[in-house]
């Protein structure tokens, strides 16, 4: 068994892309707050928006009441729309009240929405002013999660990108360090930390971290490994700060995780034998866990509606490790540079689509008659009612699926709807 | 600018969606950014509809703003009408599109679609969901039924003697709290009176049905929030009387029968005689004695809150200690009702304010929305849900109306059940020293009575996704089983071990109150510590 990639990568550039422009059935970037606020324990997310934005967060969160969730919406009303000067005063008042109630908050994100952008409310300026006023306790930052600028997971990208300027600078002569970028469940983060430590990679940091003081330093000695496929802007800003990205497929499945870890191991000069020794037990566990679902999934045809931008790495994992046949893989945006290692492992026969025209895509889906459809919550039950078997894509964002120990769970997420359909006799 | 964490109502265009989705052949084209498509999941996941709402969103993006969003809107309307072939189309803007002022109505009309185009102006920065539903229904009725209205002042012809009286049922929508079952129950009730239902709208109606609303002899408004505005217009335009007594509870159902009988010109006696409610007898049954004077807090939409308060006091013998609504539009009605109970109505859409009010009043039962259910859970108080905003649990598989005599039975069961569970817990607690009973067993009807600091996370949709959100990103304090004793506040006199043991013998659902009262009493009296003696002194002092 070798540690090198099993499938020979080819260039991804030859895969044609079906570009779609029409109705998009995808959440906006505000949704990222749902997982970001759980991850960053001392951050608060204040959306400056409308009742719609508040309702979206409440509905998408699938969660009604935390005693004191670390997010809220400052709902703009007609009085605010009367004059912009007023709006800034109002924002100061709302933030002031919030900080009085939550002195534990170390980072406050002002999150822009469609309404705040259309009326050109300058949240960057407001954040700078407020931050200054508070003496950086809390530090106030801003980003846009609006639906006119961001699609679903792009909200996390915008949030992390906003954090990059706050990272301390590290000198050119610093010892090489590894920066893992993209929200991971704590349990996954801890597993990766142990693996990196066992590999002998000493300086490892994760962005976002759990607390503000965890903000890692960045500089030319930083090697970054993306844990999520939707971080175009964050990666660009980190590269501007000197970090170098390690190309790798995303850490989904036994092989995806191996290749991802191997990219780091190569960059840090970890000997192949050591890599083999350290990763073998978990890799074997992962393979065995994935294999348990092979019978249920092998040769099943799968159709992805665009949602989280995880579609391409998921399709790679499901086809390479479970023998599924992706028919169409839709993604809201295609960031080729970051996805090349995953794309190059996909079969050239599938339809790769970018953007969306939901009605046309539903027609393609009906014509293709896939065994499993991966789609958002608005489409799942209607497709089930038409006789399709579906998997909600949002679960791949909310559930820990990365790394060796979650590979079996990931396979199971896709096997379960098929299993369920088999069991039901009504 | 208002700081909002959880909202009782969505934006007004969601109200319009509830109307459009309720209808069978009307499409809604909404000028809105992509994120607004989240609203589809309310219908497909919470209500578990097997079809997408008939809504097309333009999903314009930032790059369209410089260009031609109006053109995008026109294309969307054109394509939606070609694909779905609706009998009428509603057009409007969500909060963002309202700011760019593209005039959806004018643009859609210019297309010459050959079907009625109904423009909706729903000011998103002032109004909310229920208002949006009412306004949408009203405009729809005007547009579709208007053409057949007689000239103003025309007297309504008398009903032919050989035709049974008939009425419309107005107000039920998609995503409504038990609307589906209420319609069935009220239709049955009317049938016992010899009254036919001509059209139910908007739920299940076609555009053609709406167009013939004027044919009925009178209108029954089941949900004033959504139906009264249209019914008022119908009364004016067609001379149709309106019955807007909401038949929730036995008393209100009897009143409803009387009002319908008057409007239809029939005898109410047979329907009254055929009363099928078991709840009045159950309430008289001796085992219900313990319900006497239970302190209840009522909060919800105006219709359900006002009705619930009446049932609570007059049909279950409770004491109403709080009554409120999140619907400012109906503040007057709720204030009037609250006065009957000697209360000041709580009119707010800030759930923190509701929580504060509940915590301060120490009710023994909360009748509220899903929000109050969470609040009650945190406070360790039993709760039953009586009103929207809805949750997946509010769409039970079984028949479960709120209205009519069967509705009264449902209310009895669903309100008394949590109290009964509480009583069982009390019995369990009394035997807690018996090794047969596990100490600290969690009340089976409450997932958690943990203190506020360790509040539980509750799924609105499916547990799987939500549980994983929590598992995924943070091992937060989730739903602990009830600890037998509430936490001791940092300040104030300490409890002796013996008093603490005595406190545990008090039923858990009043234990918090007993603890608080005792501590207040002890502080006032300057006691150094709380003994069993102090506990009973306090009980005597606060005894009701
Ligand atoms: S799409 Fe825009 S308006 Fe809609 S919820 Fe998202 S940010 Fe708010």
């Amino acid at each position: 068994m070798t540690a090198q990639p099993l499938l020979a990568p080819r260039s991804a550039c030859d895969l044609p892309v079906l570009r779609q422009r029409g109705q998009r059935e995808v959440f906006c970037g505000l949704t990222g707050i749902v997982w970001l606020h759980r991850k960053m324990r001392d951050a608060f997310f204040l959306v400056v928006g409308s009742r719609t934005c508040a309702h979206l967060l409440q509905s998408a969160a699938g969660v009604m009441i935390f005693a004191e969730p670390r997010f809220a919406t400052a709902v703009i009303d007609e009085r605010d729309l009367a004059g912009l000067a007023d709006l800034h005063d109002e924002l100061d008042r709302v933030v002031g009240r919030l900080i009085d109630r939550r002195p534990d908050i170390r980072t406050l994100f002002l999150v822009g929405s469609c309404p705040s952008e259309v009326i050109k409310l300058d949240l960057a300026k407001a954040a700078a002013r407020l931050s200054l006023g508070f003496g950086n306790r809390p530090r106030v930052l801003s980003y846009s999660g609006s639906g006119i600028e961001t699609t679903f997971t792009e909200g996390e990208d915008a949030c992390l990108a906003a954090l990059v300027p706050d990272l301390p600078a590290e000198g050119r002569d610093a010892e090489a360090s590894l920066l893992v970028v993209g929200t991971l469940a704590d349990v996954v983060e801890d597993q990766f930390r142990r693996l990196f430590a066992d590999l002998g990679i000493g300086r490892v940091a994760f962005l976002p971290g759990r607390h503000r003081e965890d903000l890692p330093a960045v500089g030319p000695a930083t090697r970054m490994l993306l844990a999520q496929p939707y971080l175009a802007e964050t990666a660009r800003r980190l590269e501007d700060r000197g970090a170098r990205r390690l190309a790798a497929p995303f850490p989904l499945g036994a092989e995806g995780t191996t290749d991802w870890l191997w990219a780091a191991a190569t960059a840090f000069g970890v000997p192949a034998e050591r890599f083999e020794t350290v990763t073998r037990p978990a890799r074997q566990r992962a393979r065995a866990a994935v294999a348990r679902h092979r019978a249920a999934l092998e040769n099943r045809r799968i159709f992805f509606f665009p949602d989280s931008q995880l579609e391409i790495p998921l399709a790679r994992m499901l086809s390479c490790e479970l023998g599924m046949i992706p028919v169409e893989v839709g993604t809201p945006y295609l960031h080729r540079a970051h996805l090349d290692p995953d794309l190059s492992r996909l079969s050239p026969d599938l339809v790769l689509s970018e953007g969306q025209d939901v009605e046309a895509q539903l027609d393609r889906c009906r014509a293709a008659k896939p065994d499993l459809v991966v789609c958002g919550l608005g489409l799942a039950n209607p497709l089930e009612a038409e006789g399709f078997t579906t998997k909600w894509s949002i679960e791949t964002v909310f559930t820990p699926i990365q790394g060796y120990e979650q590979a079996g769970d990931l396979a199971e997420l896709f096997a379960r709807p098929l299993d369920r359909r088999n069991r039901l006799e009504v | 600018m208002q700081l909002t964490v959880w909202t009782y109502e969505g934006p007004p265009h969601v109200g319009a969606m509830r109307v459009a989705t309720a209808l069978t052949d009307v499409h809604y084209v909404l000028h809105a950014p992509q994120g607004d498509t989240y609203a589809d999941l309310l219908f497909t996941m919470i209500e578990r509809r097997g079809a997408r709402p008939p809504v097309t969103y333009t999903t314009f993006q930032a790059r369209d703003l410089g260009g031609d969003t109006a053109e995008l809107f026109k294309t969307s309307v054109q394509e939606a009408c070609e694909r779905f072939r609706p009998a009428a189309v509603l057009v409007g803007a969500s909060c963002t599109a309202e700011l760019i002022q593209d005039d959806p109505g004018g643009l859609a009309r210019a297309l010459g679609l050959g079907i009625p185009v109904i423009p909706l102006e729903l000011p998103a920065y002032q109004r909310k969901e229920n208002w949006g539903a009412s306004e949408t229904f009203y405009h729809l009725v005007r547009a579709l039924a208007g053409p057949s209205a007689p000239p103003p002042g025309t007297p309504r012809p008398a009903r032919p003697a050989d035709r049974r009286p008939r009425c419309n049922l107005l107000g039920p929508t998609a995503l409504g709290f038990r609307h589906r079952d209420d319609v069935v129950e009220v239709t049955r009730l009317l049938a016992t009176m010899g009254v036919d239902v001509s059209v139910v709208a908007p739920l299940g109606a076609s555009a053609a049905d709406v167009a013939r609303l004027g044919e009925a002899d009178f209108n029954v408004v089941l949900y004033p929030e959504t139906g009264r505005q249209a019914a008022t217009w119908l009364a004016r335009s067609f001379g149709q009387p309106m019955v807007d007594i909401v038949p929730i509870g036995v008393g209100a159902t009897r009143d409803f029968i009387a009002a319908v009988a008057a409007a239809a010109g029939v005898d109410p006696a047979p329907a009254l005689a055929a009363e099928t409610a078991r709840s009045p007898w159950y309430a008289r049954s001796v085992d219900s004695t313990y319900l006497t004077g239970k302190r209840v807090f009522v909060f919800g939409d105006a219709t359900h809150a006002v009705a619930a308060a009446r049932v609570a006091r007059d049909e279950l013998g409770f004491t109403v200690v709080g009554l409120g609504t999140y619907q400012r539009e109906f503040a007057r009605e709720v204030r009037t009702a609250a006065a009957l109970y000697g209360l000041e109505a709580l009119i707010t859409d800030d759930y923190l304010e509701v929580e504060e009010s509940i915590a301060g009043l120490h009710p023994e039962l909360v009748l509220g929305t899903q929000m109050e259910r969470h609040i009650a859970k945190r406070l360790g108080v039993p709760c039953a849900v009586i009103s929207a905003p809805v949750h997946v649990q509010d769409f039970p598989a079984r028949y479960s109306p709120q209205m009519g005599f069967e509705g009264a039975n449902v209310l009895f069961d669903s309100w008394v059940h949590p109290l009964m569970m509480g009583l069982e817990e009390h019995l369990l607690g009394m035997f807690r020293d018996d090794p047969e009973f596990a100490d600290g067993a969690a009340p089976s009807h409450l997932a958690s009575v943990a203190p506020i600091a360790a509040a539980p996370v509750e799924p609105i949709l499916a547990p799987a996704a939500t549980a994983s959100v929590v598992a995924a990103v943070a091992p937060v304090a989730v739903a602990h089983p009830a600890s037998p004793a509430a936490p001791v506040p940092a300040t104030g006199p300490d409890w002796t071990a013996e008093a603490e043991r005595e406190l545990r013998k008090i039923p858990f659902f009043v234990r918090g109150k007993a603890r608080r009262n005792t501590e207040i009493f002890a502080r006032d009296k300057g006691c150094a510590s709380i003994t069993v003696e102090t506990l009973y002194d306090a009980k005597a002092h606060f005894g009701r």
Side-chain angles (χ1 to χ4, degrees):
Chain A
M1 196 142 298
T2 78
Q4 274 76 32
L6 293 175
L7 278 147
R10 51 178 178 76
S11 167
C13 300
D14 42 355
L15 260 180
V17 180
L18 177 64
R19 287 213 169 70
Q20 295 280 284
R21 201 101 203 258
Q23 178 179 325
R24 300 166 74 100
E25 183 81 19
V26 194
F27 291 157
C28 59
L30 295 185
T31 322
I33 292 171
V34 177
W35 61 88
L36 288 166
H37 92 283
R38 306 305 300 165
K39 180 73 191 184
M40 303 191 216
R41 311 279 207 284
D42 54 5
F44 194 102
F45 295 79
L46 181 66
V47 176
V48 182
S50 64
R51 178 165 297 279
T52 316
C53 308
H55 202 230
L56 163 111
L57 272 180
Q58 177 165 327
S59 310
V63 173
M64 274 187 67
I65 306 262
F66 300 106
E68 286 273 347
R70 283 188 311 279
F71 63 79
T73 308
V75 175
I76 298 169
D77 60 36
E78 43 168 354
R79 292 188 311 275
D80 302 318
L81 294 174
L84 272 183
D86 255 331
L87 208 50
H88 280 280
D89 292 347
E90 280 290 288
L91 188 58
D92 288 4
R93 180 182 63 79
V94 166
V95 169
R97 243 184 69 198
L98 183 70
I99 297 307
D100 279 349
R101 254 197 20 224
R102 301 300 302 264
D104 51 318
I105 295 305
R106 298 291 319 279
T107 311
L108 171 66
F109 289 99
L110 302 181
V111 187
S113 66
C114 305
S116 78
E117 272 160 35
V118 170
I119 63 172
K120 302 206 163 28
L121 177 59
D122 190 343
L123 290 182
K125 209 162 100 190
R129 181 186 68 235
L130 285 161
S131 221
L132 197 69
F134 291 128
N136 283 332
R137 281 200 72 107
R139 172 87 172 132
V140 186
L141 298 171
S142 75
Y143 72 89
S144 169
S146 83
I148 54 175
E149 292 281 2
T150 62
T151 298
F152 198 21
T153 49
E154 285 184 307
E156 174 174 336
D157 187 24
C159 172
L160 300 189
L163 272 174
V164 172
D166 276 18
L167 304 186
E170 196 172 60
R172 191 161 291 279
D173 45 354
E175 196 194 325
S177 67
L178 180 66
L179 179 59
V180 179
V181 190
T183 299
L184 289 170
D186 288 348
V187 56
V188 178
E189 179 184 320
D190 294 343
Q191 288 164 11
F192 284 146
R193 278 188 192 280
R194 283 193 295 272
L195 282 169
F196 288 129
D198 293 347
L199 289 172
I201 304 175
R203 303 183 66 220
V204 180
F206 287 75
L207 183 71
R210 292 170 216 194
H211 298 100
R212 180 153 179 96
E213 56 262 30
D214 300 338
L215 277 185
V218 64
T222 304
R223 301 290 169 271
M224 91 176 128
L225 198 50
L226 298 182
Q228 300 286 4
Y230 43 73
L231 298 171
E233 179 62 15
T234 307
R236 199 187 58 72
R237 287 203 191 176
L238 285 165
E239 278 163 354
D240 287 351
R241 300 273 316 259
R244 266 196 287 148
R245 184 175 62 84
L246 306 175
F250 288 91
L252 301 177
E255 313 314 329
T257 303
T258 302
D259 291 357
W260 187 78
L261 291 169
W262 176 247
T266 316
F268 284 79
V270 177
E273 315 81 73
R274 181 165 186 180
F275 184 82
E276 180 61 20
T277 317
V278 168
T279 57
R280 191 195 297 122
R283 198 164 71 230
Q284 280 173 352
R285 262 198 311 277
R287 280 190 182 142
V290 169
R292 271 199 292 281
H293 301 286
R294 193 168 181 106
L297 295 175
E298 193 165 24
N299 291 325
R300 298 296 199 118
R301 299 164 69 251
I302 186 167
F303 190 109
F304 288 87
F305 279 79
D307 204 43
S308 63
Q309 299 191 51
L310 278 158
E311 294 81 11
I312 290 167
L314 285 171
R316 186 265 305 153
M317 186 270 175
L318 293 168
S319 59
C320 296
E321 301 188 28
L322 286 151
M324 291 193 87
I325 304 166
V327 191
E328 173 164 341
V329 181
T331 180
Y333 291 102
L334 180 57
H335 195 66
R336 280 194 188 263
H338 290 182
L339 283 158
D340 190 67
D342 284 287
L343 274 173
S344 59
R345 287 163 171 81
L346 286 176
S347 151
D349 310 329
L350 58 80
V351 175
L352 182 62
S353 63
E354 182 183 14
Q356 192 170 28
D357 177 347
V358 70
E359 307 297 348
Q361 196 167 25
L362 282 164
D363 288 345
R364 290 200 299 279
C365 179
R366 290 180 186 116
K369 296 197 177 59
D371 299 301
L372 187 61
V373 183
V374 185
C375 61
L377 295 170
L379 297 177
N381 263 342
L383 283 168
E384 289 278 348
E386 286 185 35
F388 290 94
T389 305
T390 64
K391 170 75 240 136
W392 319 341
S393 46
I394 199 163
E395 224 173 335
T396 61
V397 183
F398 285 172
T399 312
I401 55 170
Q402 293 81 4
Y404 288 128
E405 313 306 342
Q406 286 66 239
D409 303 343
L410 175 56
E412 209 260 339
L413 276 188
F414 293 88
R416 196 183 308 167
L418 292 163
D419 178 25
R420 181 154 191 80
R421 191 152 275 252
N422 280 338
R423 286 168 188 254
L424 296 180
E425 296 286 351
V426 290
Chain B
M1 205 176 264
Q2 195 197 350
L3 192 64
T4 305
V5 184
W6 307 108
T7 66
Y8 286 93
E9 290 183 77
H13 71 259
V14 168
M17 285 182 69
R18 285 173 48 196
V19 172
T21 305
L23 295 158
T24 58
D25 57 0
V26 172
H27 204 82
Y28 182 23
V29 181
L30 184 64
H31 208 13
Q34 61 184 346
D36 293 8
T37 61
Y38 80 87
D40 284 358
L41 79 84
L42 306 172
F43 299 90
T44 62
M45 297 304 292
I46 294 179
E47 197 175 7
R48 299 190 184 93
R49 279 184 176 258
R52 291 162 65 211
V55 180
T56 294
Y57 306 81
T58 56
T59 63
F60 57 85
Q61 295 180 282
R63 60 166 181 239
D64 301 317
L65 289 179
D68 202 348
T69 49
E71 200 50 46
L72 176 62
F73 182 79
K74 287 202 309 212
T75 316
S76 300
V77 176
Q78 189 93 51
E79 287 181 0
C81 289
E82 277 162 21
R83 179 174 280 267
F84 298 105
R85 308 231 152 264
V89 62
L90 301 163
V91 295
S94 78
C95 53
T96 308
E98 185 181 329
L99 298 170
I100 59 180
Q101 301 188 322
D102 272 338
D103 182 21
L107 292 170
R109 282 217 178 92
L111 290 171
L113 295 164
I115 52 170
V117 172
I118 301 151
L120 301 174
E121 305 245 341
L122 308 175
Y125 299 92
Q126 299 171 35
R127 300 298 194 160
K128 289 180 283 189
E129 180 178 332
N130 280 306
W131 185 88
S134 172
E135 186 77 1
T136 301
F137 186 47
Y138 163 67
H139 283 288
L140 182 89
V141 169
R142 271 194 78 147
L144 300 182
S148 51
T154 315
R156 196 174 171 78
R159 166 169 65 90
D162 58 346
R163 177 170 67 65
R164 279 158 53 108
R166 61 188 180 205
C167 67
N168 302 310
L169 299 187
L170 303 182
T173 63
L175 212 65
F177 186 80
R178 310 290 169 85
H179 291 193
R180 177 195 74 188
D181 298 342
D182 285 345
V183 166
V184 174
E185 187 61 22
V186 172
T187 304
R188 278 183 198 164
L189 181 64
L190 291 165
T192 64
M193 304 181 67
V195 175
D196 293 330
V197 171
S198 178
V199 173
V200 178
L203 192 62
S206 65
D209 290 335
V210 175
R212 61 183 181 85
L213 282 174
E215 291 173 9
D217 301 310
F218 63 102
N219 288 308
V220 167
V221 180
L222 291 185
Y223 307 98
E225 282 82 359
T226 42
R228 189 187 282 154
Q229 196 184 351
T232 306
W233 179 82
L234 286 165
R236 226 175 24 242
S237 309
F238 289 89
Q240 287 171 313
M242 136 166 77
V243 172
D244 64 351
I245 293 173
V246 178
I248 295 180
V250 172
T253 300
R254 290 178 188 151
D255 296 348
F256 173 81
I257 290 171
V260 166
V266 299
D267 179 10
L272 290 172
E275 182 173 314
T276 53
R278 291 183 195 93
S279 58
W281 166 242
Y282 277 26
R284 288 195 151 74
S285 167
V286 289
D287 62 289
S288 292
T289 309
Y290 78 98
L291 299 175
T292 313
K294 288 270 181 214
R295 298 159 51 79
V296 294
F297 180 93
V298 184
F299 195 85
D301 66 31
T303 300
H304 288 87
V306 169
R310 176 173 174 188
V311 174
R313 186 185 67 177
D314 297 347
E315 300 177 24
L316 284 157
F318 294 153
T319 301
V320 179
V321 296
L323 174 60
T325 185
Y326 52 82
Q327 290 182 296
R328 285 183 195 284
E329 293 93 337
F330 285 77
R332 198 167 43 84
E333 282 89 334
V334 178
R335 287 208 177 94
T336 310
L340 296 175
Y341 309 97
L343 300 171
E344 177 94 44
L346 176 64
I347 312 289
T348 179
D349 61 355
D350 180 351
Y351 90 104
L352 290 172
E353 221 179 294
V354 180
E355 172 156 35
E356 213 173 284
S357 176
I358 295 177
L361 287 166
H362 307 302
E364 292 159 280
L365 176 68
V366 171
L367 301 174
T369 73
Q370 292 292 339
M371 304 281 198
E372 286 68 47
R373 190 171 69 84
H374 288 271
I375 293 168
K377 187 185 277 187
R378 280 207 295 280
L379 299 173
V381 183
C383 177
V385 174
I386 57 157
S387 153
V390 288
H391 182 284
V392 68
Q393 287 170 5
D394 297 322
F395 295 90
R398 67 178 187 282
Y399 180 59
S400 188
Q402 303 287 289
M403 292 185 178
F405 294 125
E406 184 56 25
N409 292 335
V410 170
L411 297 185
F412 184 92
D413 287 348
S414 49
W415 299 3
V416 170
H417 178 79
L419 290 170
M420 206 109 89
M421 297 309 289
L423 208 66
E424 264 174 32
E425 294 313 323
H426 173 50
L427 295 177
L428 195 68
M430 276 170 53
F431 292 108
R432 71 172 60 251
D433 295 328
D434 186 322
E436 294 271 314
F437 293 82
D439 186 32
S444 44
H445 65 303
L446 296 174
S448 168
V449 292
I452 291 185
V457 179
E458 263 296 307
I460 187 174
L461 292 173
T466 317
S468 50
V469 179
V470 178
V473 189
V476 286
V478 190
H480 296 295
S483 52
V488 182
T491 57
D494 288 336
W495 288 71
T496 63
E498 202 190 347
E500 208 38 272
R501 268 196 303 279
E502 196 69 15
L503 183 69
R504 284 188 186 193
K505 296 174 191 164
I506 295 172
F508 78 91
F509 47 89
V510 286
R511 197 180 301 143
K513 181 179 159 192
R515 174 183 288 278
R516 276 185 295 268
N517 282 350
T518 309
E519 282 165 0
I520 292 166
F521 179 81
R523 246 193 311 272
D524 288 353
K525 292 275 179 271
C527 304
S529 67
I530 295 171
T531 62
V532 174
E533 210 52 26
T534 325
L535 179 63
Y536 285 111
D537 283 346
K539 181 169 189 285
H541 177 79
F542 287 102
R544 56 183 165 96

